[in-house]
Amino acid sequence: MELEVRHLRALCAIADSGSLHKAARQLGMSQPSLTTQLRRIEHAVGGQLFTRERTGCRPTPLGRTVLSRARPLVIEMRALVTEARAAAARSADGEPRLRIGSTASRAIPGWLRRLRASMPGTETSLQMDVSANALLRDVAEGRLDVAFVHEVEGSPLRFPDGLARRVLIDREPQFVSLAADHPAAREPVISLADLADDRWMVDPTVDGEWDGLRRMLRSAGLDPRVLHGDYLTAATLVATGEVVTVCQPTSVARPDMAVRPLHGDPLGVRLYVAARTETELNAVYGELEAAYWEAAAEAPAYQDWLLGTRGAGPPAPCPPVPCPPVPCPPASLPASPPDRPASARAVPAGGDLGPHPTRDLRPTPL
């Protein structure tokens, strides 16, 4: 048997995951099939490449030698395929194309509108997916040019090697949506304890979402009933009072549905933009940043949270130079209210703590 790239890819997957079971799942094949393939590879090279232990698989000295030569070949082949796919997409009809992938976000419409204005003549396509990891793989493999994704804290995303990435928001707090006539909706900030008797709904197909909700509820000492379903169905059930659900802070309330921050901001996500190159990233990042803060300005609950006006006193003055690692808020930005420490705010990638309250919600350079 002659070794092929797929065989080298299998060896790298086994070494990286440390488990035949995990590697098989990553490669989209059964564990018995991968075990058989590994035996054939070992027969072809003339020696054992991995030892199987209780804690998983470890490369033998021969395995480490083979892996040291296999990894560069796998990376080069991946880059070749990615570049070929991108070139084929660009040259299909001679028109420049921008293929965007994204998880759900209210910033998407504004982002597309701005891209059309800044890239005239470029055909822009959009692929939505509940799986951030799937979108990142699509960028790495040349099926997409850029991806806008969110990472639920406690559930790190798997970024393929070689991707350029940038943080849009370091920690975006997750709010809760509930029926407008829910007793807890009378308060501007809701405690999880006030929702102890409610049923929650979560979409388990969204990477990290179910685990994040479960950690948040357990930390609060709650064990409520949880329904699984998509968020379109969840919005309907929320409006009728059947469930409550975590939502993005840019969500806008409706006459039958309220959107509120949670006391202490117990759950957050990090927003990333990823592309194959820094050049591709730079071409779209500014428009996305502007679109995000535009969406934030249209969400009253998020605007109040960002500006921190509830019961806040005057802002503390900035100390004399040298400045601290995290900039002080500008004089026009009220200090955080007692129920939300400044460290919990949504922090843009540049470290600014909030926008100017009389203009819009984009971060103000300090």
PDB file of all heavy atoms in Angstrom, residues 317-353:
ATOM      1  N   PRO A 317     -12.901  60.216  38.156  1.00  0.00           N
ATOM      2  CA  PRO A 317     -11.951  60.877  37.259  1.00  0.00           C
ATOM      3  C   PRO A 317     -10.810  59.946  36.900  1.00  0.00           C
ATOM      4  O   PRO A 317     -10.433  59.077  37.663  1.00  0.00           O
ATOM      5  CB  PRO A 317     -11.457  62.065  38.091  1.00  0.00           C
ATOM      6  CG  PRO A 317     -11.644  61.625  39.517  1.00  0.00           C
ATOM      7  CD  PRO A 317     -12.890  60.764  39.516  1.00  0.00           C
ATOM      8  N   CYS A 318     -10.277  60.155  35.702  1.00  0.00           N
ATOM      9  CA  CYS A 318      -9.125  59.361  35.278  1.00  0.00           C
ATOM     10  C   CYS A 318      -7.909  59.767  36.087  1.00  0.00           C
ATOM     11  O   CYS A 318      -7.707  60.950  36.385  1.00  0.00           O
ATOM     12  CB  CYS A 318      -8.835  59.596  33.794  1.00  0.00           C
ATOM     13  SG  CYS A 318     -10.025  58.791  32.710  1.00  0.00           S
ATOM     14  N   PRO A 319      -7.064  58.845  36.498  1.00  0.00           N
ATOM     15  CA  PRO A 319      -5.858  59.185  37.246  1.00  0.00           C
ATOM     16  C   PRO A 319      -4.849  59.860  36.326  1.00  0.00           C
ATOM     17  O   PRO A 319      -4.963  59.773  35.102  1.00  0.00           O
ATOM     18  CB  PRO A 319      -5.348  57.823  37.719  1.00  0.00           C
ATOM     19  CG  PRO A 319      -5.857  56.864  36.704  1.00  0.00           C
ATOM     20  CD  PRO A 319      -7.183  57.400  36.254  1.00  0.00           C
ATOM     21  N   PRO A 320      -3.853  60.527  36.881  1.00  0.00           N
ATOM     22  CA  PRO A 320      -2.819  61.125  36.049  1.00  0.00           C
ATOM     23  C   PRO A 320      -2.025  60.051  35.333  1.00  0.00           C
ATOM     24  O   PRO A 320      -2.041  58.894  35.707  1.00  0.00           O
ATOM     25  CB  PRO A 320      -1.941  61.892  37.058  1.00  0.00           C
ATOM     26  CG  PRO A 320      -2.180  61.201  38.361  1.00  0.00           C
ATOM     27  CD  PRO A 320      -3.619  60.745  38.328  1.00  0.00           C
ATOM     28  N   VAL A 321      -1.323  60.458  34.284  1.00  0.00           N
ATOM     29  CA  VAL A 321      -0.493  59.496  33.554  1.00  0.00           C
ATOM     30  C   VAL A 321       0.560  58.927  34.490  1.00  0.00           C
ATOM     31  O   VAL A 321       0.960  59.592  35.443  1.00  0.00           O
ATOM     32  CB  VAL A 321       0.182  60.200  32.352  1.00  0.00           C
ATOM     33  CG1 VAL A 321      -0.848  60.557  31.316  1.00  0.00           C
ATOM     34  CG2 VAL A 321       0.962  61.424  32.800  1.00  0.00           C
ATOM     35  N   PRO A 322       1.054  57.685  34.296  1.00  0.00           N
ATOM     36  CA  PRO A 322       0.689  56.816  33.189  1.00  0.00           C
ATOM     37  C   PRO A 322      -0.682  56.198  33.358  1.00  0.00           C
ATOM     38  O   PRO A 322      -1.130  55.989  34.473  1.00  0.00           O
ATOM     39  CB  PRO A 322       1.772  55.736  33.216  1.00  0.00           C
ATOM     40  CG  PRO A 322       2.184  55.678  34.660  1.00  0.00           C
ATOM     41  CD  PRO A 322       2.079  57.093  35.176  1.00  0.00           C
ATOM     42  N   CYS A 323      -1.351  55.895  32.234  1.00  0.00           N
ATOM     43  CA  CYS A 323      -2.698  55.353  32.286  1.00  0.00           C
ATOM     44  C   CYS A 323      -2.666  53.902  32.732  1.00  0.00           C
ATOM     45  O   CYS A 323      -1.685  53.201  32.517  1.00  0.00           O
ATOM     46  CB  CYS A 323      -3.366  55.431  30.912  1.00  0.00           C
ATOM     47  SG  CYS A 323      -3.720  57.126  30.413  1.00  0.00           S
ATOM     48  N   PRO A 324      -3.749  53.405  33.329  1.00  0.00           N
ATOM     49  CA  PRO A 324      -3.841  51.992  33.712  1.00  0.00           C
ATOM     50  C   PRO A 324      -4.021  51.130  32.477  1.00  0.00           C
ATOM     51  O   PRO A 324      -4.327  51.631  31.393  1.00  0.00           O
ATOM     52  CB  PRO A 324      -5.101  51.958  34.607  1.00  0.00           C
ATOM     53  CG  PRO A 324      -5.922  53.107  34.108  1.00  0.00           C
ATOM     54  CD  PRO A 324      -4.951  54.168  33.685  1.00  0.00           C
ATOM     55  N   PRO A 325      -3.868  49.797  32.624  1.00  0.00           N
ATOM     56  CA  PRO A 325      -4.003  48.913  31.474  1.00  0.00           C
ATOM     57  C   PRO A 325      -5.355  49.033  30.789  1.00  0.00           C
ATOM     58  O   PRO A 325      -5.464  48.927  29.594  1.00  0.00           O
ATOM     59  CB  PRO A 325      -3.800  47.508  32.070  1.00  0.00           C
ATOM     60  CG  PRO A 325      -3.013  47.747  33.315  1.00  0.00           C
ATOM     61  CD  PRO A 325      -3.429  49.086  33.828  1.00  0.00           C
ATOM     62  N   VAL A 326      -6.461  49.205  31.552  1.00  0.00           N
ATOM     63  CA  VAL A 326      -7.783  49.374  30.975  1.00  0.00           C
ATOM     64  C   VAL A 326      -8.150  50.834  31.083  1.00  0.00           C
ATOM     65  O   VAL A 326      -8.174  51.386  32.183  1.00  0.00           O
ATOM     66  CB  VAL A 326      -8.840  48.510  31.709  1.00  0.00           C
ATOM     67  CG1 VAL A 326     -10.208  48.758  31.117  1.00  0.00           C
ATOM     68  CG2 VAL A 326      -8.462  47.045  31.620  1.00  0.00           C
ATOM     69  N   PRO A 327      -8.455  51.534  29.991  1.00  0.00           N
ATOM     70  CA  PRO A 327      -8.719  52.962  30.053  1.00  0.00           C
ATOM     71  C   PRO A 327      -9.913  53.294  30.914  1.00  0.00           C
ATOM     72  O   PRO A 327     -10.858  52.522  31.026  1.00  0.00           O
ATOM     73  CB  PRO A 327      -8.990  53.323  28.582  1.00  0.00           C
ATOM     74  CG  PRO A 327      -8.458  52.186  27.789  1.00  0.00           C
ATOM     75  CD  PRO A 327      -8.555  50.984  28.658  1.00  0.00           C
ATOM     76  N   CYS A 328      -9.867  54.465  31.543  1.00  0.00           N
ATOM     77  CA  CYS A 328     -11.012  54.946  32.298  1.00  0.00           C
ATOM     78  C   CYS A 328     -12.089  55.377  31.327  1.00  0.00           C
ATOM     79  O   CYS A 328     -11.815  55.783  30.202  1.00  0.00           O
ATOM     80  CB  CYS A 328     -10.622  56.156  33.160  1.00  0.00           C
ATOM     81  SG  CYS A 328      -9.494  55.745  34.485  1.00  0.00           S
ATOM     82  N   PRO A 329     -13.374  55.309  31.727  1.00  0.00           N
ATOM     83  CA  PRO A 329     -14.435  55.772  30.839  1.00  0.00           C
ATOM     84  C   PRO A 329     -14.325  57.274  30.650  1.00  0.00           C
ATOM     85  O   PRO A 329     -13.854  57.991  31.523  1.00  0.00           O
ATOM     86  CB  PRO A 329     -15.711  55.382  31.597  1.00  0.00           C
ATOM     87  CG  PRO A 329     -15.293  55.291  33.019  1.00  0.00           C
ATOM     88  CD  PRO A 329     -13.876  54.826  33.013  1.00  0.00           C
ATOM     89  N   PRO A 330     -14.758  57.793  29.479  1.00  0.00           N
ATOM     90  CA  PRO A 330     -14.741  59.231  29.285  1.00  0.00           C
ATOM     91  C   PRO A 330     -15.667  59.919  30.262  1.00  0.00           C
ATOM     92  O   PRO A 330     -16.579  59.309  30.824  1.00  0.00           O
ATOM     93  CB  PRO A 330     -15.234  59.368  27.836  1.00  0.00           C
ATOM     94  CG  PRO A 330     -15.955  58.103  27.543  1.00  0.00           C
ATOM     95  CD  PRO A 330     -15.283  57.045  28.354  1.00  0.00           C
ATOM     96  N   ALA A 331     -15.482  61.209  30.456  1.00  0.00           N
ATOM     97  CA  ALA A 331     -16.237  61.936  31.469  1.00  0.00           C
ATOM     98  C   ALA A 331     -17.729  61.890  31.210  1.00  0.00           C
ATOM     99  O   ALA A 331     -18.536  62.008  32.124  1.00  0.00           O
ATOM    100  CB  ALA A 331     -15.773  63.395  31.508  1.00  0.00           C
ATOM    101  N   SER A 332     -18.130  61.692  29.940  1.00  0.00           N
ATOM    102  CA  SER A 332     -19.549  61.674  29.621  1.00  0.00           C
ATOM    103  C   SER A 332     -20.197  60.326  29.885  1.00  0.00           C
ATOM    104  O   SER A 332     -21.399  60.184  29.774  1.00  0.00           O
ATOM    105  CB  SER A 332     -19.749  62.030  28.149  1.00  0.00           C
ATOM    106  OG  SER A 332     -19.026  61.121  27.341  1.00  0.00           O
ATOM    107  N   LEU A 333     -19.407  59.297  30.208  1.00  0.00           N
ATOM    108  CA  LEU A 333     -19.948  57.967  30.417  1.00  0.00           C
ATOM    109  C   LEU A 333     -20.141  57.721  31.900  1.00  0.00           C
ATOM    110  O   LEU A 333     -19.190  57.722  32.665  1.00  0.00           O
ATOM    111  CB  LEU A 333     -19.001  56.903  29.849  1.00  0.00           C
ATOM    112  CG  LEU A 333     -19.433  55.453  30.025  1.00  0.00           C
ATOM    113  CD1 LEU A 333     -20.727  55.208  29.265  1.00  0.00           C
ATOM    114  CD2 LEU A 333     -18.361  54.517  29.536  1.00  0.00           C
ATOM    115  N   PRO A 334     -21.376  57.500  32.372  1.00  0.00           N
ATOM    116  CA  PRO A 334     -21.619  57.248  33.796  1.00  0.00           C
ATOM    117  C   PRO A 334     -20.909  55.988  34.259  1.00  0.00           C
ATOM    118  O   PRO A 334     -20.640  55.093  33.480  1.00  0.00           O
ATOM    119  CB  PRO A 334     -23.142  57.084  33.862  1.00  0.00           C
ATOM    120  CG  PRO A 334     -23.656  57.686  32.598  1.00  0.00           C
ATOM    121  CD  PRO A 334     -22.585  57.507  31.577  1.00  0.00           C
ATOM    122  N   ALA A 335     -20.613  55.948  35.546  1.00  0.00           N
ATOM    123  CA  ALA A 335     -19.985  54.760  36.116  1.00  0.00           C
ATOM    124  C   ALA A 335     -20.966  53.609  36.114  1.00  0.00           C
ATOM    125  O   ALA A 335     -22.164  53.792  35.978  1.00  0.00           O
ATOM    126  CB  ALA A 335     -19.538  55.056  37.551  1.00  0.00           C
ATOM    127  N   SER A 336     -20.446  52.389  36.284  1.00  0.00           N
ATOM    128  CA  SER A 336     -21.322  51.224  36.311  1.00  0.00           C
ATOM    129  C   SER A 336     -22.203  51.248  37.536  1.00  0.00           C
ATOM    130  O   SER A 336     -21.782  51.661  38.617  1.00  0.00           O
ATOM    131  CB  SER A 336     -20.475  49.946  36.332  1.00  0.00           C
ATOM    132  OG  SER A 336     -19.716  49.854  35.164  1.00  0.00           O
ATOM    133  N   PRO A 337     -23.441  50.768  37.402  1.00  0.00           N
ATOM    134  CA  PRO A 337     -24.310  50.677  38.576  1.00  0.00           C
ATOM    135  C   PRO A 337     -23.802  49.605  39.518  1.00  0.00           C
ATOM    136  O   PRO A 337     -23.005  48.745  39.129  1.00  0.00           O
ATOM    137  CB  PRO A 337     -25.665  50.286  37.966  1.00  0.00           C
ATOM    138  CG  PRO A 337     -25.317  49.637  36.671  1.00  0.00           C
ATOM    139  CD  PRO A 337     -24.083  50.321  36.185  1.00  0.00           C
ATOM    140  N   PRO A 338     -24.286  49.590  40.769  1.00  0.00           N
ATOM    141  CA  PRO A 338     -23.764  48.636  41.754  1.00  0.00           C
ATOM    142  C   PRO A 338     -23.943  47.188  41.347  1.00  0.00           C
ATOM    143  O   PRO A 338     -23.164  46.336  41.728  1.00  0.00           O
ATOM    144  CB  PRO A 338     -24.598  48.965  43.009  1.00  0.00           C
ATOM    145  CG  PRO A 338     -25.045  50.370  42.802  1.00  0.00           C
ATOM    146  CD  PRO A 338     -25.225  50.546  41.324  1.00  0.00           C
ATOM    147  N   ASP A 339     -24.984  46.866  40.532  1.00  0.00           N
ATOM    148  CA  ASP A 339     -25.228  45.461  40.205  1.00  0.00           C
ATOM    149  C   ASP A 339     -24.440  45.003  38.998  1.00  0.00           C
ATOM    150  O   ASP A 339     -24.591  43.900  38.546  1.00  0.00           O
ATOM    151  CB  ASP A 339     -26.722  45.214  39.964  1.00  0.00           C
ATOM    152  CG  ASP A 339     -27.249  45.993  38.760  1.00  0.00           C
ATOM    153  OD1 ASP A 339     -26.512  46.864  38.276  1.00  0.00           O
ATOM    154  OD2 ASP A 339     -28.386  45.711  38.342  1.00  0.00           O
ATOM    155  N   ARG A 340     -23.585  45.848  38.439  1.00  0.00           N
ATOM    156  CA  ARG A 340     -22.807  45.438  37.296  1.00  0.00           C
ATOM    157  C   ARG A 340     -21.431  46.076  37.342  1.00  0.00           C
ATOM    158  O   ARG A 340     -21.257  47.245  37.006  1.00  0.00           O
ATOM    159  CB  ARG A 340     -23.512  45.846  36.002  1.00  0.00           C
ATOM    160  CG  ARG A 340     -22.851  45.210  34.772  1.00  0.00           C
ATOM    161  CD  ARG A 340     -23.575  45.563  33.493  1.00  0.00           C
ATOM    162  NE  ARG A 340     -23.341  46.944  33.107  1.00  0.00           N
ATOM    163  CZ  ARG A 340     -24.271  47.886  33.189  1.00  0.00           C
ATOM    164  NH1 ARG A 340     -25.465  47.589  33.637  1.00  0.00           N
ATOM    165  NH2 ARG A 340     -24.003  49.132  32.820  1.00  0.00           N
ATOM    166  N   PRO A 341     -20.414  45.360  37.794  1.00  0.00           N
ATOM    167  CA  PRO A 341     -19.065  45.924  37.847  1.00  0.00           C
ATOM    168  C   PRO A 341     -18.565  46.284  36.470  1.00  0.00           C
ATOM    169  O   PRO A 341     -18.933  45.678  35.473  1.00  0.00           O
ATOM    170  CB  PRO A 341     -18.235  44.791  38.462  1.00  0.00           C
ATOM    171  CG  PRO A 341     -19.008  43.559  38.134  1.00  0.00           C
ATOM    172  CD  PRO A 341     -20.454  43.951  38.181  1.00  0.00           C
ATOM    173  N   ALA A 342     -17.701  47.296  36.425  1.00  0.00           N
ATOM    174  CA  ALA A 342     -17.182  47.751  35.141  1.00  0.00           C
ATOM    175  C   ALA A 342     -16.477  46.644  34.390  1.00  0.00           C
ATOM    176  O   ALA A 342     -16.483  46.599  33.167  1.00  0.00           O
ATOM    177  CB  ALA A 342     -16.220  48.927  35.347  1.00  0.00           C
ATOM    178  N   SER A 343     -15.865  45.705  35.098  1.00  0.00           N
ATOM    179  CA  SER A 343     -15.124  44.633  34.442  1.00  0.00           C
ATOM    180  C   SER A 343     -16.024  43.697  33.669  1.00  0.00           C
ATOM    181  O   SER A 343     -15.565  42.909  32.865  1.00  0.00           O
ATOM    182  CB  SER A 343     -14.347  43.829  35.492  1.00  0.00           C
ATOM    183  OG  SER A 343     -15.238  43.247  36.425  1.00  0.00           O
ATOM    184  N   ALA A 344     -17.357  43.768  33.931  1.00  0.00           N
ATOM    185  CA  ALA A 344     -18.269  42.851  33.257  1.00  0.00           C
ATOM    186  C   ALA A 344     -18.827  43.429  31.974  1.00  0.00           C
ATOM    187  O   ALA A 344     -19.596  42.796  31.290  1.00  0.00           O
ATOM    188  CB  ALA A 344     -19.432  42.487  34.201  1.00  0.00           C
ATOM    189  N   ARG A 345     -18.485  44.669  31.630  1.00  0.00           N
ATOM    190  CA  ARG A 345     -19.070  45.289  30.459  1.00  0.00           C
ATOM    191  C   ARG A 345     -18.611  44.628  29.166  1.00  0.00           C
ATOM    192  O   ARG A 345     -17.593  43.974  29.095  1.00  0.00           O
ATOM    193  CB  ARG A 345     -18.688  46.772  30.404  1.00  0.00           C
ATOM    194  CG  ARG A 345     -19.299  47.579  31.537  1.00  0.00           C
ATOM    195  CD  ARG A 345     -18.981  49.037  31.315  1.00  0.00           C
ATOM    196  NE  ARG A 345     -19.487  49.831  32.422  1.00  0.00           N
ATOM    197  CZ  ARG A 345     -19.333  51.137  32.489  1.00  0.00           C
ATOM    198  NH1 ARG A 345     -18.686  51.779  31.538  1.00  0.00           N
ATOM    199  NH2 ARG A 345     -19.829  51.817  33.510  1.00  0.00           N
ATOM    200  N   ALA A 346     -19.416  44.883  28.113  1.00  0.00           N
ATOM    201  CA  ALA A 346     -18.993  44.447  26.789  1.00  0.00           C
ATOM    202  C   ALA A 346     -17.768  45.248  26.412  1.00  0.00           C
ATOM    203  O   ALA A 346     -17.792  46.469  26.412  1.00  0.00           O
ATOM    204  CB  ALA A 346     -20.112  44.684  25.770  1.00  0.00           C
ATOM    205  N   VAL A 347     -16.681  44.564  26.103  1.00  0.00           N
ATOM    206  CA  VAL A 347     -15.427  45.252  25.833  1.00  0.00           C
ATOM    207  C   VAL A 347     -15.028  45.030  24.386  1.00  0.00           C
ATOM    208  O   VAL A 347     -14.766  43.898  23.979  1.00  0.00           O
ATOM    209  CB  VAL A 347     -14.305  44.726  26.757  1.00  0.00           C
ATOM    210  CG1 VAL A 347     -13.017  45.473  26.488  1.00  0.00           C
ATOM    211  CG2 VAL A 347     -14.711  44.896  28.212  1.00  0.00           C
ATOM    212  N   PRO A 348     -15.018  46.071  23.551  1.00  0.00           N
ATOM    213  CA  PRO A 348     -14.544  45.919  22.182  1.00  0.00           C
ATOM    214  C   PRO A 348     -13.077  45.522  22.169  1.00  0.00           C
ATOM    215  O   PRO A 348     -12.377  45.632  23.171  1.00  0.00           O
ATOM    216  CB  PRO A 348     -14.752  47.310  21.572  1.00  0.00           C
ATOM    217  CG  PRO A 348     -15.722  47.989  22.487  1.00  0.00           C
ATOM    218  CD  PRO A 348     -15.466  47.416  23.850  1.00  0.00           C
ATOM    219  N   ALA A 349     -12.629  45.090  21.018  1.00  0.00           N
ATOM    220  CA  ALA A 349     -11.266  44.571  20.914  1.00  0.00           C
ATOM    221  C   ALA A 349     -10.221  45.582  21.339  1.00  0.00           C
ATOM    222  O   ALA A 349      -9.193  45.236  21.874  1.00  0.00           O
ATOM    223  CB  ALA A 349     -10.992  44.119  19.477  1.00  0.00           C
ATOM    224  N   GLY A 350     -10.472  46.863  21.118  1.00  0.00           N
ATOM    225  CA  GLY A 350      -9.495  47.868  21.475  1.00  0.00           C
ATOM    226  C   GLY A 350      -9.447  48.195  22.939  1.00  0.00           C
ATOM    227  O   GLY A 350      -8.610  48.972  23.379  1.00  0.00           O
ATOM    228  N   GLY A 351     -10.385  47.661  23.741  1.00  0.00           N
ATOM    229  CA  GLY A 351     -10.364  47.882  25.170  1.00  0.00           C
ATOM    230  C   GLY A 351     -11.243  49.017  25.631  1.00  0.00           C
ATOM    231  O   GLY A 351     -11.363  49.263  26.824  1.00  0.00           O
ATOM    232  N   ASP A 352     -11.924  49.770  24.724  1.00  0.00           N
ATOM    233  CA  ASP A 352     -12.789  50.845  25.154  1.00  0.00           C
ATOM    234  C   ASP A 352     -13.980  50.285  25.905  1.00  0.00           C
ATOM    235  O   ASP A 352     -14.501  49.240  25.583  1.00  0.00           O
ATOM    236  CB  ASP A 352     -13.295  51.637  23.939  1.00  0.00           C
ATOM    237  CG  ASP A 352     -12.142  52.312  23.215  1.00  0.00           C
ATOM    238  OD1 ASP A 352     -11.199  52.741  23.888  1.00  0.00           O
ATOM    239  OD2 ASP A 352     -12.204  52.381  21.989  1.00  0.00           O
ATOM    240  N   LEU A 353     -14.441  51.033  26.895  1.00  0.00           N
ATOM    241  CA  LEU A 353     -15.506  50.511  27.747  1.00  0.00           C
ATOM    242  C   LEU A 353     -16.884  50.973  27.329  1.00  0.00           C
ATOM    243  O   LEU A 353     -17.869  50.579  27.932  1.00  0.00           O
ATOM    244  CB  LEU A 353     -15.262  50.934  29.207  1.00  0.00           C
ATOM    245  CG  LEU A 353     -14.006  50.337  29.815  1.00  0.00           C
ATOM    246  CD1 LEU A 353     -13.876  50.752  31.261  1.00  0.00           C
ATOM    247  CD2 LEU A 353     -14.030  48.828  29.713  1.00  0.00           C
TER     248      LEU A 353
END
